[in-house]
Amino acid sequence: MPIYAPTLPPAPDLHLGQPPVLVLMRFDFTRLWRQKIGRFFGFAFLMLLLWKVARIYVDHLLHTNEAFKPMQDFAKTILTQGADFQADLLNPASYLLWFLVALVGGGLVARDTLYRVRPLMYAHPVAPKDYLLAKLGFASLLPFTILLPFAILPWLMSLLLAGFHGPVWATAPLRLLPAMAIASALMGSLAVGASSMAATPRAGIGWVLGLVLGASTLASMIHGLTGIAAVDALNPIMLAEAWPQLFVGVERPMVAWLPAFLGTALHIALWTFVAAKRTRPSEAVI
């Protein structure tokens, strides 16, 4: 009796379903949502946000309520409404946000390296560039999502209370959103690049904190020895705080426009290059 070859099912259409980048990002967001670490940081950021919104309301009372007339002169020295106030809407969450990026971003690539799952991903229709874009997108979108309420809610409160003459400029979101995007891209690329050099998530956290604090210390030492202020552009913490100041027009920002642009471009290009090299198929297994 002749033996016939088995009938194979039709090849699946790889164009159906969501792109691999979105699937990987959704998986990382789901894993973060189930972790208890998000509750602590969520509460901390919520308290900072409530303080910002309450400050807008107190400023409105001081300018409209007759009972607070004697306190207006004193309040002007505390509740400034210039460019420094607009940039300060994002600053209270700066160091805490860097710590969150280290805790979350340190394990993005290192966890896959530890459990050796990248070969399985690359065996499916997931290209190395899709994997890299998913990790960079998640690591950059996380700080942007956290900072977004700090730019929008105080602005809405100011509009509701005092219209276009409130303490928050009417054009503040247009200035703060680009600054947030650049700072978030800086945080995301550094976190993914550091995580790609680690073998475990805990080591990835150490890599992120080490690179951030090490670059900050190095920039401070060179600045102190040479007196060149442009060297501060190597400090990622200072760069993240300087971009809102630059976009709102602070008189004396931490870093000037050109050094900030060059320093940010250097960090993003360097750590993206490192992550791309460390997530190649040949590097998928230690």
Side-chain angles (χ1 to χ4, degrees), residues 11 20 25 52-53 67 73 77 97 100 108-109 117 149 158 188 192 205 208 225-226 229 233-234 244 275 277 280:
M25 289 180 61
K52 282 296 179 183
V53 175
D73 293 335
T77 61
L97 185 58
L100 174 61
L108 283 178
V109 181
V117 298
S158 178
V192 173
I205 298 173
V208 177
L225 293 174
T226 62
L234 297 176
K277 290 297 183 181
R280 293 180 301 179

Side-chain angles (χ1 to χ4, degrees), residues 16-247:
L16 297 177
Q18 296 181 346
V21 175
L22 297 181
V23 174
L24 293 176
M25 289 180 61
R26 184 184 62 186
F27 175 78
D28 286 326
F29 272 110
T30 303
R31 181 169 53 191
L32 176 63
W33 182 260
R34 293 177 180 177
Q35 291 178 348
K36 296 181 180 180
I37 187 175
R39 300 176 185 178
F40 167 76
F41 282 97
F43 177 78
F45 285 120
L46 180 60
M47 292 297 102
L48 289 172
L49 182 59
L50 291 177
W51 159 251
K52 282 296 179 183
V53 175
R55 183 177 175 182
I56 301 297
Y57 182 69
V58 170
D59 181 82
H60 175 70
L61 288 179
L62 292 175
H63 285 81
T64 57
N65 197 323
E66 295 293 335
F68 296 102
K69 282 289 183 179
M71 300 179 58
Q72 288 186 3
D73 293 335
F74 175 73
K76 289 180 181 179
T77 61
I78 301 177
L79 302 176
T80 58
Q81 300 180 16
D84 292 322
F85 175 76
Q86 316 303 318
D88 191 59
L89 291 175
L90 305 180
N91 284 346
S94 177
Y95 289 95
L96 187 62
L97 185 58
W98 272 108
F99 192 60
L100 174 61
V101 169
L103 288 178
V104 177
L108 283 178
V109 181
R111 185 178 291 104
D112 297 338
T113 303
L114 176 64
Y115 296 107
R116 300 183 179 184
V117 298
R118 276 205 305 277
L120 298 177
M121 294 183 183
Y122 293 161
H124 291 78
V126 177
K129 65 177 182 180
D130 296 330
Y131 179 85
L132 180 61
L133 288 177
K135 298 301 179 180
L136 289 173
F138 171 77
S140 301
L141 190 60
L142 176 63
F144 185 86
T145 304
I146 294 174
L147 288 176
L148 187 61
F150 287 87
I152 299 300
L153 291 184
W155 174 71
L156 290 176
M157 176 66 75
S158 178
L159 287 180
L160 291 174
L161 294 177
F164 293 105
H165 302 286
V168 181
W169 296 345
T171 60
L174 299 179
R175 298 168 181 262
L176 294 179
L177 291 179
M180 290 162 44
I182 297 174
S184 300
L186 171 65
M187 294 181 178
S189 60
L190 193 149
V192 173
S195 179
S196 66
M197 294 186 291
T200 62
R202 291 185 178 181
I205 298 173
W207 270 100
V208 177
L209 294 178
L211 291 176
V212 172
L213 298 178
S216 304
T217 304
L218 179 62
S220 300
M221 291 177 58
I222 298 176
H223 185 187
L225 293 174
T226 62
I228 302 175
V231 183
D232 291 332
L234 297 176
N235 187 340
I237 299 177
M238 194 170 292
L239 283 175
E241 295 183 8
W243 278 110
Q245 298 177 357
L246 293 172
F247 273 90

Side-chain angles (χ1 to χ4, degrees), residues 3-23:
I3 299 176
Y4 296 97
T7 302
L8 297 178
D13 189 358
L14 300 181
H15 297 286
L16 297 177
Q18 296 181 346
V21 175
L22 297 181
V23 174

